[in-house]
Amino acid sequence: MSDDLLRTLSADLAPVSRWTVARRLALGMSGGVIVSAVLMLVLLGPRPDMDQSMATAMFWMKLAYALAFAVIAGFAAERLARPAASARGWIKWLVVPILLVIVIAAFQLAGTAPAGRTAMLVGDSARVCPWRILFFALPPFIGLVWAMRGLAPTRLREAGAAIGLAAGGAGAFIYALHCTESTTPFLAIWYTLGMAASAALGWALGPLVLRWR
Amino acid sequence: MQASEADLRALMIASLDGDKAAYRALLDAMRWRLCAYFRSRLSWDAAEIDDLVQDTLMAIHNHRGTYDRSQLFTAWSYAIARHKLIDHFRRSGRRQTVPLDDAAALFVTDESASVDARHDLEKALQTLPPATQALIRDIKLRELSNAQAAAARGMSETAVKVALHRGLKKLGAYFHGEGGPK
């Protein structure tokens, strides 16, 4: 083996910031989010009742739920972009938003007459909601794939699932600015499903698209 | 170089801050560890090992920003080596499983002792005829059976046994007699 290589590499050494990984992931994520936001505005438009709905707790809860997934999965991705690092410490925090939303949904359902419960669960858009979330998750997903490929994930399925879920959270956040559903049971089922689909996509594609050299 | 996890991590952290001398020492220590690592799971084909070690050193260099200062350096670098090994298998079309959790076996603190032993063994092997070297590697290091080695080399099993016996005798003489390391 050549000493030349060692000499070249050590001559090429420059100090490295601790934020290299986070910065790159944030860059990929924000690029994708901008694309998704533009697509949402062009294809669907913001919800027509934006002004009134901003005064409701439900508007903010949808955003917060989506944001929680994006942030927690984003931190998990920051770990999984590193060889041999584990994201378990972050992933377990997902129980907080999930449990919170399930509990609120249960109370809302319990406080509704049985006849009205189905409407509460499926709303007007259950059929399209998860698909649209998945659609708006794609640009951030692509941005995060780009970011990951420049880093060094060694657990490719887990890393794929983490960026898939983070992208799902971002996609849900953007879609929530269009969606007019206003019940927590709807959020608990269909938003979660859309974000989970995005995570599953990442899990499936991880080994194919995240290999780096 | 007898470097422990703590030493290697200290070198790595200094390297991340731009200390070239520390970095050079780190790469030097890693080179032998990687050699031993790839040899133990691959073959003794020097060119193949060399390529993988260089590839891995370059990956360590290019992706050094992904090292978290609170992380085990050996686990980090080992995961990169394993990634490169899997890549290598994929490229060469071989389907092999690479065990996940044997990092400890290769990067225990006194692991460089076994690297030295490998190094000595390699030198001793060089003194034997190439055919005998190949047999010893197949049977003693890669744990093929005599029959498998015989089939692979197109020899009879008896011829393999005789050649192996002679080769090992010579190796023994090398280590106990002149030219040996001690």
Side-chain angles (χ1 to χ4, degrees):
Chain A
M1 164 141 5
S2 61
D3 282 319
D4 286 351
L5 177 71
L6 268 59
R7 215 169 293 130
T8 315
L9 294 185
S10 49
D12 181 50
L13 184 76
V16 174
S17 155
R18 290 167 191 253
W19 304 105
T20 313
V21 173
R23 209 183 291 143
R24 191 176 168 96
L25 287 170
L27 195 63
M29 175 67 118
S30 27
V33 165
I34 292 169
V35 173
S36 274
V38 170
L39 283 175
M40 191 278 283
L41 292 174
V42 171
L43 298 175
L44 301 175
R47 57 190 293 176
D49 59 346
M50 186 70 97
D51 286 349
Q52 303 95 290
S53 65
M54 279 176 75
T56 65
M58 196 56 217
F59 177 84
W60 298 105
M61 190 157 98
K62 279 199 287 186
L63 291 183
Y65 189 57
L67 191 64
F69 274 75
V71 168
I72 293 170
F75 276 113
E78 199 268 350
R79 299 308 306 164
L80 289 165
R82 304 167 184 275
S86 159
R88 259 175 231 141
W90 283 106
I91 286 300
K92 65 179 182 214
W93 287 103
L94 283 174
V95 279
V96 175
I98 292 173
L99 272 186
L100 213 62
V101 160
I102 286 178
V103 168
I104 299 174
F107 272 107
Q108 280 192 7
L109 280 175
T112 307
R117 284 182 189 160
T118 314
M120 213 172 193
L121 286 169
V122 294
D124 300 317
S125 59
R127 217 177 258 264
V128 291
C129 167
W131 295 107
R132 285 179 174 173
I133 287 176
L134 187 59
F135 174 78
F136 290 116
L138 288 179
F141 182 70
I142 292 167
L144 287 169
V145 166
W146 165 83
M148 268 293 184
R149 288 173 64 104
L151 299 166
T154 54
R155 296 173 183 172
L156 301 184
R157 282 202 188 277
E158 290 171 42
I163 60 171
L165 192 61
F173 187 94
I174 288 175
Y175 179 66
L177 297 171
H178 163 80
C179 157
T180 52
E181 299 291 348
S182 59
T183 73
T184 316
F186 186 94
L187 177 68
I189 297 174
W190 306 107
Y191 272 61
T192 312
L193 196 64
M195 294 188 287
S198 179
L201 182 74
W203 173 270
L205 291 181
L208 295 173
V209 299
L210 294 182
R211 293 211 74 85
W212 48 275
R213 302 194 44 80
Chain B
M1 169 156 194
Q2 301 276 334
S4 68
E5 161 64 31
D7 297 334
L8 292 173
R9 187 195 288 190
L11 287 176
M12 181 63 176
I13 290 173
S15 307
L16 288 175
D17 292 332
D19 181 338
K20 290 187 183 184
Y23 191 49
R24 180 63 204 257
L26 178 72
L27 291 177
D28 216 34
M30 285 313 294
R31 170 215 283 214
W32 299 113
R33 281 158 191 269
L34 291 170
C35 261
Y37 170 71
F38 289 123
R39 262 182 202 158
S40 70
R41 47 230 49 218
L42 207 54
S43 70
W44 286 63
D45 177 346
E48 201 179 14
I49 304 288
D50 229 52
D51 280 354
L52 272 166
V53 172
Q54 297 213 17
D55 250 23
T56 310
L57 288 175
M58 276 165 64
I60 286 177
H61 180 75
N62 292 332
H63 297 280
R64 63 190 189 279
T66 66
Y67 176 70
D68 180 324
R69 291 156 201 245
S70 63
Q71 211 179 347
L72 282 178
F73 175 75
T74 44
W76 178 83
S77 52
Y78 165 79
I80 293 180
R82 182 173 176 274
H83 182 86
K84 286 288 167 190
L85 184 60
I86 295 172
D87 243 21
H88 177 78
F89 285 143
R90 289 162 66 99
R91 268 203 308 280
S92 56
R94 267 180 283 175
R95 282 261 157 235
Q96 291 207 10
T97 52
V98 182
L100 238 179
D101 294 314
D102 55 356
L106 281 143
F107 283 106
V108 288
T109 324
D110 60 348
E111 170 268 4
S112 35
S114 82
V115 178
D116 290 343
R118 289 268 188 185
H119 204 58
D120 291 338
L121 181 58
E122 181 63 13
K123 268 202 284 189
L125 276 170
Q126 301 293 346
T127 65
L128 300 177
T132 318
Q133 282 183 38
L135 277 181
I136 292 179
R137 281 170 185 157
D138 282 351
I139 295 170
K140 293 297 167 191
L141 302 172
R142 292 164 68 193
E143 300 183 322
L144 297 184
S145 71
N146 287 355
Q148 281 172 317
R153 305 277 159 203
M155 299 165 74
S156 78
E157 214 178 320
T158 319
V160 165
K161 277 186 197 161
V162 171
L164 187 65
H165 178 72
R166 286 192 185 143
L168 290 175
K169 220 171 145 185
K170 268 197 199 164
L171 272 188
Y174 176 89
F175 279 115
H176 293 112
E178 51 170 276
K182 271 172 194 159

